[in-house]
Amino acid sequence: MLNMTRKFDLIVIGTGVAGSTVAKQCRAAGWDVAIIDSLPFGGTCALRGCTPKKVLVDAAALMDWNHRMLQKGIDYQNIRIDWQALMRFKRTFTSPVPQKREQEYAEAGIAMFHGRARFVDETTVQVNDDTLQGRYVLIATGSKPLKLGIPGEEYVSTSDQFLELEQLPQRIIFVGGGYISFESAHVSVRAGANVQILHEGEQPLEHFDPDLVNQLVQATQDIGIDVRVNTKVKAIEKDSDYLIVRASTPDGEQTFETELVIHGASRMPDLDDLDLEKAGVKREKKGVSVNEYLQSVSNPAVYAAGDVAATGAPQLTPVANMEAEVVANNLLKGDRQKPDYTEVPSVVFTTPTLAMVGHTEETAREKGLKFRTNHQDTSSWHSSSQKNMKYSSFKVLIKEDSNQILGAHLLGPDAQEVINVFAMAIRAGFSTDELKKMIFAYPTGASDINKMV
């Protein structure tokens, strides 16, 4: 029996925030839309990233708050995390997502296909036994852990698997000193595990301000997490019921015993088996090569959004959502809209929380900007001391001639919220005086901005 080719206006590969947004908007405009995913529908953020992570992070933050407030009016000394119960609670957020997403697509009239997609030609995609042909194709397949390229890599678990652990091992090693490692390590140690972070470079969380990172590392070590820098994992071996991690350090090779090794290093675009060459889609290390409209530079019928697009933008859900809006607009109205990556905040959901937006001192100097830096420890400020928060500080970069804010870096309570005020101020081009006029709330983290600028 011949396989019939089904024709669509748009084929979307990926059901995360980028793919879903574009699919729904184009379908609402009357387009015939197909959407494909080899994993349960919903994407990384809803199923394997932001949402489940925050459930665990919030539980860990509650543990930390309780610990900080002992003998300060709180006396629940036996509080603990019940890992299995926490996992069950987490699944109340993630388990309904795939069915809900499919129901939304069905109600919208979007054709759904389960399986790994691969290109047959410029606009034709094969999914299992189905052949789909589109006027346009959106690649929104996200990212996956970068291959470590070491012996014993098969013994390394992913962050996805960490978020599905039925039981938390007693000993855990995180490879790499990025978001995933720090956030998961803070959760794990507060749930009772012995935790190490092995980072290849001189400083973890390399895109954040080094002074604030150093404070976070100290806070991380204070709660019992062993953070090792200049420690490159070279091999992993299995020995009975535990794993042996071999790493090179400035002092020579060291070995570490553990029960679980989690990949917390870099991620790469999930493109390898899409057969992009058959579609004439050029790619690079960071993903699909796109122009300023998020359109493939080599195949104008193909667009890319989210972690899979080689834009140089941070791999963040808000970025993917913004890029999806741009792609949908350009598909429906012609290539007019460009993504605006001005001042997208980044947050590390540890306790204390680390947040940044705009320039670091290093990037500001590289651009030849003239600026002054306001930098202060804020652990004595009311917003921190009332929570008995030992580590808290800020660094704000201010342009010399106009007093405009160039960058903001926060460590401490409410940093994940306050950073958005700075983001809006930078995007609007506010001076420090203009920003101060906006802040009236007291006594909140936002009111501290007046003292930062």
Side-chain angles (χ1 to χ4, degrees), residues 2 46 53 71 164 176 251 260 277 313 326 397 403:
L2 292 176
K53 174 193 75 176
Q71 299 180 344
E164 292 295 337
D251 298 322
L260 182 67
E277 65 280 358
V326 170
L397 281 59
N403 279 336

Side-chain angles (χ1 to χ4, degrees), residues 25 291-295 303 321-341:
Q25 290 195 20
N291 62 19
E292 57 190 350
Y293 304 109
L294 299 176
Q295 181 183 44
Y303 290 74
N321 189 64
M322 182 265 292
E323 290 183 345
E325 296 287 341
V326 170
V327 169
N329 188 280
N330 289 338
L331 285 170
L332 295 172
K333 300 177 182 179
D335 291 332
R336 301 175 183 175
Q337 192 168 329
K338 304 173 185 178
D340 181 0
Y341 301 112

Side-chain angles (χ1 to χ4, degrees), residues 149-163:
I150 59 174
E153 186 162 4
E154 64 271 20
Y155 300 123
V156 178
S157 299
T158 65
S159 58
D160 297 5
Q161 292 169 312
F162 172 78
L163 291 170

Side-chain angles (χ1 to χ4, degrees), residues 169-282:
Q170 189 60 37
R171 295 175 295 176
I172 304 175
I173 286 177
F174 291 91
V175 179
Y179 295 84
I180 292 173
S181 291
F182 269 79
E183 292 172 346
S184 301
H186 273 239
V187 169
S188 299
V189 74
R190 292 183 175 110
N194 295 314
V195 181
Q196 291 178 300
I197 296 174
L198 307 183
H199 181 61
E200 180 179 349
E202 293 185 4
Q203 180 175 301
L205 298 167
E206 296 163 346
H207 299 298
F208 288 80
D209 179 82
D211 293 321
L212 271 62
V213 169
N214 289 339
Q215 276 199 303
L216 177 57
V217 169
Q218 186 61 58
T220 301
Q221 292 171 331
D222 282 0
I223 61 173
I225 298 171
D226 181 15
V227 181
R228 305 286 185 101
V229 296
N230 297 315
T231 303
K232 180 177 176 61
V233 174
K234 305 291 287 188
I236 301 171
E237 302 168 5
K238 187 169 179 60
D239 187 347
S240 185
D241 294 330
Y242 58 89
L243 300 172
I244 298 175
V245 178
R246 301 192 182 279
S248 61
T249 75
D251 298 322
E253 182 179 291
Q254 291 190 20
T255 60
F256 305 87
E257 288 187 3
T258 188
E259 295 165 50
L260 182 67
V261 178
I262 299 292
H263 190 311
S266 300
R267 294 176 67 83
M268 61 183 289
D270 190 3
L271 292 170
D272 289 346
D273 57 355
L274 291 182
D275 291 345
L276 294 181
E277 65 280 358
K278 293 182 179 179
V281 174
K282 183 180 179 182

Side-chain angles (χ1 to χ4, degrees), residues 16 60 66 76 80 83 114 121 132 147 214 234 269 273 320 342 380 422 424 437 451:
N66 175 80
Y76 288 99
R80 68 181 183 88
W83 187 263
H114 292 272
D121 61 31
L132 317 179
K147 289 290 185 182
N214 289 339
K234 305 291 287 188
D273 57 355
T342 305
S380 63
F422 279 105
M424 289 187 289
K437 291 176 182 177
K451 295 182 283 185

